[in-house]
């Protein structure tokens, strides 16, 4: 039924806009947009300038010299790549490749990483990276405007072997080289993918590997919260699963996800996979909710890395040890520096590091701002991970501060 307005009654005036709203639209928004624009433009400019400065003429192995070379170049060597003459079999970790001269006569030189932080996801890898990327001798892969970024080059590839053959694309993820500065790759998804170790070993056999390992029970819960934060966890008929779709038959769970939701996901996974061998589970777990639990089978995931790389090239840091205090974190970073052959750097005196530390503490991905998991879920997961933790402790020959992580000896 239509309602008629009684004649003579005036329509109510439209609600007045608050002056603060107008001020926001007319002043604050354009200012914000201008600030963002300036930052992007400055980053692009710096990037182009850095590229132009990266002229390197000395000590470059020319194409004819490379043809006479046997074996791989040693780290720090620069190979000229005129006409794509560089062969993958000459490359190694820390080897640099110089492009043919561009229209300005400038060469761009980029270096393969000397160190890769391969995982495990949600085990404090970002915290370690925040220090490393502020070390004056280290740079990591960068995005279009020069901000540090996880490369994920091999884990994002459908076929990691083809990605290895296309190593020039990988190289482009790194900033133009500066003398004495090494690069590192932080990609926590590498650890899970059993195809990646052989690809990295054939491209960069002397690559140093860093792995951060966290109690797998807590890691799994942090992982679920990560997925909830990214809007990828849904619930339907009591089942909780990871999905990117927006279909209306299920409800999206938002961060923080309730401990009960985690419990449901865990129970479903345990029921579906209970008869499967853990390494087979880890190998077949691809992406999605199916890898929240198997990512904690570290021993299975490390096996192909130990098959392809010598023990001395892998450093394992235990999350619970290195996050126990700031001193412990800095001590862990100092171990990484020694492992990677870097000069010690005094992070405590760097204003930039102090700012990064303050910023990181505010980041949404920090701080475990979610309710503790249910005791029953923890017990089920501790049981699931008991044998894998024991195996890992034996493999690493060290005691791990996790259930069933005893047994091992001191680190070698
Ligand atoms: N110093 C310190 N103290 C306590 N906790 C810390 C610290 N540094 C990292 N973290 C926790 O590590 C989790 C993030 O790990 P990653 O950086 O590896 O995550 S990611 O894989 O890169 O997404 C994430 O865990 P949750 O908060 O449980 O999700 C971080 O809070």
């Amino acid at each position: 039924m239509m309602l008629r307005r009684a004649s003579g009654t005036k329509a109510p005036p439209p609600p007045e806009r608050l002056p603060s709203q107008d001020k926001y639209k007319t002043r604050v928004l354009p200012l914000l947009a201008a600030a963002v624009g300036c930052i992007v433009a400055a980053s692009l400019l710096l990037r182009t300038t850095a590229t132009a400065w990266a002229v390197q003429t000395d000590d470059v192995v020319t194409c004819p010299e490379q043809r006479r070379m046997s074996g791989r170049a040693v780290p720090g060597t620069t190979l000229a790549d005129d006409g794509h003459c560089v062969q993958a079999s000459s490359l190694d970790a820390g080897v640099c490749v110089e492009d043919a001269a561009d229209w300005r006569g400038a060469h761009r030189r980029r270096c393969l990483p000397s160190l890769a932080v391969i995982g495990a996801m949600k085990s404090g890898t970002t915290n370690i990276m925040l220090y490393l990327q502020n070390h004056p001798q280290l740079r990591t892969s960068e995005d279009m405007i020069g901000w540090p970024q996880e490369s994920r080059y091999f884990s994002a590839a459908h076929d990691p072997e083809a990605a290895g053959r296309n190593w020039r694309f990988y190289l482009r993820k790194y900033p133009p080289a500066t003398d004495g500065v090494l690069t590192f790759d932080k990609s926590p998804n590498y650890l899970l993918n059993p195809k990646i170790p052989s690809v990295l070993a054939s491209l960069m056999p002397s690559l140093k590997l860093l792995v951060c390992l966290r109690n797998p029970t807590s890691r799994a819960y942090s992982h679920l919260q990560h997925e909830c934060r990214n809007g990828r966890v849904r619930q339907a008929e009591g089942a909780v699963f990871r999905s990117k779709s927006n279909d209306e038959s299920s409800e999206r769970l938002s961060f923080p996800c309730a401990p009960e939701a985690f419990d449901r996901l865990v129970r479903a996974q345990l029921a579906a996979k209970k008869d499967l061998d853990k390494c087979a589970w880890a190998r077949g777990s691809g992406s999605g909710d199916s890898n929240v639990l198997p990512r904690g089978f570290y021993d299975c995931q490390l096996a192909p890395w130990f098959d392809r790389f010598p023990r001395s090239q892998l450093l394992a840091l235990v999350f619970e040890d290195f996050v126990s205090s700031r001193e412990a974190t800095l001590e862990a970073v100092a171990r990484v520096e020694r492992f990677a052959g870097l000069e010690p750097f005094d992070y405590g005196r760097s204003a930039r590091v102090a700012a990064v530390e303050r910023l990181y503490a505010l980041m949404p991905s920090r701080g475990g701002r979610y309710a503790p998991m249910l005791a029953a879920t923890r017990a089920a997961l501790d049981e699931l991970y008991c044998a894998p933790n024991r195996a890992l402790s034996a493999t690493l020959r060290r005691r791990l501060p996790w259930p069933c992580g005893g047994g091992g000896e001191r680190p070698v």
Side-chain angles (χ1 to χ4, degrees):
M1 187 173 64
M2 293 268 288
L3 286 181
R4 273 169 179 271
R5 197 185 300 283
S7 58
T9 351
K10 267 194 168 174
E16 269 189 21
R17 295 172 63 78
L18 296 173
S20 63
Q21 275 181 331
D22 284 341
K23 196 168 137 196
Y24 182 74
K25 274 202 161 170
T26 56
R27 291 199 208 149
V28 181
L29 273 184
L31 267 177
L32 264 178
V36 170
C38 284
I39 292 174
V40 171
S43 301
L44 282 172
L45 190 72
L46 273 176
R47 202 171 161 77
T48 323
T49 324
T51 308
W53 284 338
V55 182
Q56 188 71 26
T57 45
D58 300 338
D59 302 327
V60 176
V61 185
T62 61
C63 291
E65 285 166 343
Q66 284 177 53
R67 279 192 277 280
R68 292 194 295 275
M69 221 171 79
S70 66
R72 295 180 183 267
V74 293
T77 311
T78 299
L79 306 176
D81 196 26
D82 302 300
H84 283 195
C85 71
V86 173
Q87 302 293 312
S89 55
S90 310
L91 295 172
D92 200 347
V95 170
C96 309
V97 174
E98 188 184 271
D99 286 351
D102 66 12
W103 58 274
R104 294 164 297 188
H107 294 271
R108 222 178 8 202
R109 186 171 64 107
R110 297 178 196 273
C111 305
L112 285 171
S114 304
L115 173 76
V117 186
I118 58 172
M121 183 186 168
K122 308 316 292 179
S123 298
T125 52
T126 311
N127 199 187
I128 296 293
M129 170 165 158
L130 290 179
Y131 288 96
L132 294 183
Q133 74 196 22
N134 280 294
H135 191 290
Q137 278 179 286
L138 266 186
R139 297 282 293 276
T140 190
S141 47
E142 295 180 347
D143 64 10
M144 295 278 288
I145 59 164
W147 292 104
Q149 192 192 41
E150 291 181 0
S151 98
R152 301 182 197 172
Y153 177 76
F154 297 98
S155 51
H158 173 65
D159 176 0
E161 279 162 18
R165 288 191 294 276
N166 293 324
W167 54 268
R168 286 184 182 83
F169 288 106
Y170 180 51
L171 211 49
R172 278 185 216 146
K173 299 225 163 227
Y174 293 92
T178 320
D179 282 340
V181 174
L182 308 178
T183 56
F184 76 100
D185 180 346
K186 185 233 178 194
S187 301
N189 284 340
Y190 285 0
L191 178 64
L192 182 72
N193 190 326
K195 290 187 181 155
I196 294 180
S198 60
V199 176
L200 288 189
S202 62
L203 187 63
M204 301 176 281
S206 63
L207 182 68
K208 302 254 174 89
L209 306 167
L210 173 66
V211 65
C212 301
L213 302 169
R214 180 179 187 178
N215 178 342
T217 300
S218 330
R219 195 220 69 82
Y221 193 33
S222 167
H223 189 162
L224 175 88
Q225 297 297 347
H226 172 96
E227 299 294 342
C228 294
R229 200 178 278 116
N230 290 307
R232 294 189 293 234
V233 179
R234 303 189 75 86
Q235 168 170 268
E237 295 163 20
V240 173
F241 51 93
R242 181 185 180 278
S243 167
K244 286 186 194 163
S245 88
N246 263 335
D247 74 286
E248 292 187 348
S249 59
S250 61
E251 170 206 357
R252 187 166 69 81
L253 299 182
S254 50
F255 179 82
C257 269
E260 290 74 16
F262 182 53
D263 191 66
R264 257 172 256 138
L265 183 114
V266 168
R267 305 277 162 204
Q269 285 285 296
L270 291 181
K273 309 280 182 179
K274 67 179 184 323
D275 297 326
L276 208 60
D277 165 72
K278 297 200 171 48
C279 290
W281 184 358
R283 272 196 305 276
S285 63
S287 62
D289 60 326
S290 59
N291 73 29
V292 170
L293 298 191
R295 271 184 197 259
F297 303 144
Y298 303 132
D299 189 44
C300 300
Q301 292 165 68
L302 282 172
W305 293 90
F306 283 136
D307 284 347
R308 298 291 178 161
F309 288 91
R311 287 292 172 107
S312 56
Q313 275 176 236
L314 188 136
L315 174 68
L317 295 179
V318 174
F319 174 89
E320 288 76 9
D321 292 342
F322 75 76
V323 302
S324 59
S325 65
R326 183 169 180 271
E327 289 66 39
T329 309
L330 290 177
E331 176 45 39
V333 175
R335 274 185 75 190
V336 180
E337 288 170 349
R338 292 192 291 275
F339 173 66
L342 301 165
E343 298 286 319
F345 180 63
D346 188 354
Y347 298 92
R349 297 175 73 124
S350 158
R352 192 172 145 157
V353 169
V356 165
E357 281 173 334
R358 274 196 296 276
L359 244 176
Y360 183 57
L362 297 174
M363 267 163 66
S365 61
R366 262 299 316 277
R369 296 179 192 97
Y370 44 82
M373 76 178 90
L374 302 179
T377 324
R378 181 171 286 283
L381 287 181
D382 284 352
E383 192 188 329
L384 174 74
Y385 292 123
C386 178
N389 287 352
R390 191 172 290 129
L392 179 72
S393 164
T395 304
L396 297 179
R397 277 171 265 167
R398 71 194 280 177
R399 214 175 55 76
L400 301 163
W402 317 329
C404 306
E409 298 153 21
R410 285 307 304 156
V412 283

